[in-house]
Amino acid sequence: MRAKAWDVKQVGQFVHTPPVNRWFEPRVAQAFADQREALPYKEMLRDIMNALTIETGSDWIDLGCGSGRISQALWEKASGDITITAMDCSEEAGKIYLDYAREFNPVPQNGAIRFRLGNVSHRLPFMGGKFHGVVASLVLTYAEDWDITTGMWTRWAFDNALREVHRILVDGGQLVLTNNTPNPDFLRIFLRSWRQLVSRKGPRLIRNSATMLSFGRWLKRSAVEGRFHYLPESELVQSLRDAGFRDIQCQLTYADQAYLVRCRK
């Protein structure tokens, strides 16, 4: 028996109350929006784009879209000749995304760029075989499932998220994902971005970087508890195979703190 991570449920004489979900905090969304200025993020974005093969007129989804930097790179690589559905669990991220989408070149027309509020911990709100490609950067690793009968976190939502991505892809469709390595060093990512921190945007970036470092400590504690899934490469690859993916290739990215995986349905 399962509950959303923010539910409080009574089981027998015990009350199991899952910890607070910080992904919905507006300040976290704002901090992650500034992540696009960080050198390791730019390097990861480059690696993601190099891993993609984009066909004219294809339909893509950006899961965990955040501020929209990946969508922008995808859109501009395709010269605007695709459609993109962006999904995030944060309403604040949606506002940031739609505002940032005005900067895409060429300017999106006729609903070619759409935002959908949604959570990868649940069934994806799309029909099967809809998308030619899925980009899921540092998001599936945070699919969460709280078992109210045991009062513990499980891997069910992560494994189900992979199955759901497989379901919504066309046959032969691409998945490019990034997933944190076990025990990621978020301070290393911060220090790799020191040039940006002394720029004119430095004071704001320092504030948001401090928020992200604090958030990173919560993420790592939660991963140890089994809430999030910082998997070794072999386990990640096997999980993708179990979900039905093939042609799986893996490399390090994001200052060596994440795996980049490309594969097909």
Side-chain angles (χ1 to χ4, degrees):
M1 189 175 185
R2 295 181 175 85
K4 296 178 182 178
W6 51 89
D7 284 348
V8 178
K9 298 290 184 179
Q10 178 99 24
V11 181
Q13 61 182 358
F14 302 100
V15 175
H16 297 297
T17 309
V20 171
N21 191 329
R22 295 191 61 193
W23 283 114
F24 300 102
E25 296 179 19
R27 71 188 187 113
V28 170
Q30 291 288 346
F32 269 81
D34 271 343
Q35 182 179 225
R36 64 190 181 209
E37 304 287 345
L39 179 60
Y41 183 84
K42 292 179 179 179
E43 292 172 346
M44 181 173 67
L45 179 63
R46 176 203 63 203
D47 291 340
I48 290 171
M49 290 302 111
N50 287 340
L52 296 175
T53 302
I54 306 173
E55 296 183 2
T56 298
S58 54
D59 199 356
W60 286 77
I61 183 167
D62 180 0
L63 291 175
C65 62
S67 65
R69 187 65 188 90
I70 290 175
S71 287
Q72 181 188 33
L74 182 62
W75 175 258
E76 294 181 358
K77 181 174 181 176
S79 299
D81 200 3
I82 57 173
T83 57
I84 300 176
T85 300
M87 193 183 94
D88 202 282
C89 68
S90 166
E91 291 186 19
E92 184 67 22
K95 295 174 184 176
I96 295 170
Y97 180 95
L98 292 173
D99 183 61
Y100 186 56
R102 298 189 183 100
E103 301 179 20
F104 290 11
N105 182 29
V107 177
Q109 302 288 338
N110 302 320
I113 301 287
R114 302 177 293 271
F115 177 81
R116 181 78 175 261
L117 193 66
N119 192 324
V120 296
S121 298
H122 309 145
R123 181 177 173 84
L124 297 178
F126 308 103
M127 64 182 184
K130 174 174 174 54
F131 297 101
H132 298 92
V134 175
V135 182
S137 185
L138 302 179
V139 59
L140 301 184
T141 191
Y142 298 116
E144 57 183 44
D145 175 65
W146 175 261
D147 189 328
I148 63 173
T149 62
T150 63
M152 297 178 65
W153 298 105
T154 82
R155 265 195 52 168
W156 182 87
F158 175 77
D159 292 330
N160 188 64
L162 294 180
R163 292 190 292 268
E164 280 291 284
V165 170
H166 187 272
R167 179 183 65 81
I168 66 174
L169 277 169
V170 301
D171 289 341
Q174 302 172 69
L175 166 62
V176 174
L177 68 87
T178 59
N179 207 80
N180 288 107
T181 60
N183 194 31
D185 186 350
F186 293 115
L187 181 60
R188 182 176 180 179
I189 297 167
F190 175 81
L191 293 176
R192 282 284 304 277
S193 304
W194 68 270
R195 291 184 185 276
Q196 286 78 24
L197 299 178
V198 297
S199 69
R200 61 185 178 83
K201 297 180 180 179
R204 189 193 74 210
L205 295 178
I206 289 172
R207 287 194 302 273
N208 284 338
S209 294
T211 298
M212 289 187 66
L213 285 174
S214 172
F215 189 63
R217 288 191 290 271
W218 172 72
L219 293 176
K220 291 176 72 170
R221 286 196 306 270
S222 297
V224 170
E225 295 167 359
R227 182 175 191 171
F228 304 136
H229 316 286
Y230 296 169
L231 305 179
E233 180 181 347
S234 59
E235 192 172 342
L236 177 59
V237 169
Q238 187 59 53
S239 297
L240 286 160
R241 287 193 182 120
D242 292 343
F245 289 97
R246 60 181 174 85
D247 301 336
I248 302 169
Q249 300 178 50
C250 191
Q251 69 183 74
L252 284 169
T253 189
Y254 200 43
D256 292 344
Q257 304 309 302
Y259 295 114
L260 184 149
V261 182
R262 55 181 172 179
C263 53
R264 289 187 178 274
K265 177 174 177 178

